[in-house]
Amino acid sequence: MRLLLVRHGQSEWNAARRLQGQADIALSDLGKSQADALRPVIEGIAPCRAIASDLERVRETARRIGAVSPRFTDRLREINVGDWTGRAIGDIQAEDEGAYLGWRAGTSAPPGGEIWSDFADRVTSVIEEERRTPCQNLLVVCHGGVIRAILQRYIGLGPAHIIPVAPASLSAFRLGGDKPPRLELFNYLPGQLDFEAPD
């Protein structure tokens, strides 16, 4: 099985550099156009089925990239950032850079936030359910943290070693067979590269 991991397009809070976690924030105009640009790539791959987070920014991304009848689930939501929800990233860093870096590395949680290992368990449980039904290319439309959790659990790439996943980008890796899980593609954007993606 190949997992096709798509992060939602830029949201209004991504544009403002605010952490959103599980807040239900809509796509920005740029986010809509980013998702539209990815649609021909996804259509060319023709996934056998799709699953997605139930938050609106992901729902709209899934529609815009042409996901066919996706199964929406709250278990693919972004990590809950607790008291940091809605806060500007720069303000959090200015207040406590170490706490922010620890959160990005998956070694600490914001006050009232979700523990990384619990989050990764939640996300992985969905993928493991999907693996029970054959599918060559499974489309997973989700959030940057969800993609980082999947990469950590299946290929051992810790969140501290992964740049933020670009909005409306495609990453892919293969699961199963007689070989270990393999990363095939990371942060692909049609016609461009993005090394400065928001958290």
Side-chain angles (χ1 to χ4, degrees), residues 100-172:
Y100 178 78
L101 293 175
W103 169 73
R104 277 294 283 116
T107 58
S108 65
E114 192 171 11
I115 303 299
W116 177 265
S117 60
D118 295 342
F119 168 61
D121 287 345
R122 165 167 64 84
V123 168
T124 305
S125 71
V126 180
I127 302 304
E128 288 302 303
E129 285 175 6
E130 291 295 326
R131 291 181 72 183
R132 297 181 192 134
T133 305
C135 176
Q136 183 174 355
N137 292 304
L138 175 67
L139 177 61
V140 183
V141 191
C142 55
H143 307 268
V146 170
I147 295 170
R148 292 195 301 268
I150 290 171
L151 293 178
Q152 180 196 36
R153 284 295 170 93
Y154 288 102
I155 63 173
L157 189 58
H161 302 284
I162 305 172
I163 63 171
V165 181
S169 66
L170 171 63
S171 298

Side-chain angles (χ1 to χ4, degrees), residues 15-90:
R17 305 290 293 180
R18 295 169 66 188
L19 282 186
Q20 53 203 341
Q22 296 186 4
D24 205 4
I25 309 303
L27 293 182
S28 66
D29 288 341
L30 175 58
K32 293 172 186 176
S33 65
Q34 290 169 332
D36 292 343
L38 191 59
R39 184 179 187 121
V41 176
I42 300 302
E43 288 178 339
I45 298 171
C48 54
R49 66 180 184 270
I51 57 175
S53 163
D54 64 344
L55 296 179
E56 180 54 34
R57 60 190 180 270
V58 174
R59 286 178 174 271
E60 184 164 6
T61 298
R63 286 191 297 270
R64 287 180 173 273
I65 66 173
V68 177
S69 302
R71 177 174 71 91
F72 296 104
T73 174
D74 61 1
R75 289 185 295 152
L76 287 178
R77 287 184 180 184
E78 183 59 279
I79 192 168
N80 184 340
V81 294
D83 293 352
W84 288 0
T85 302
R87 293 196 59 198
I89 292 171

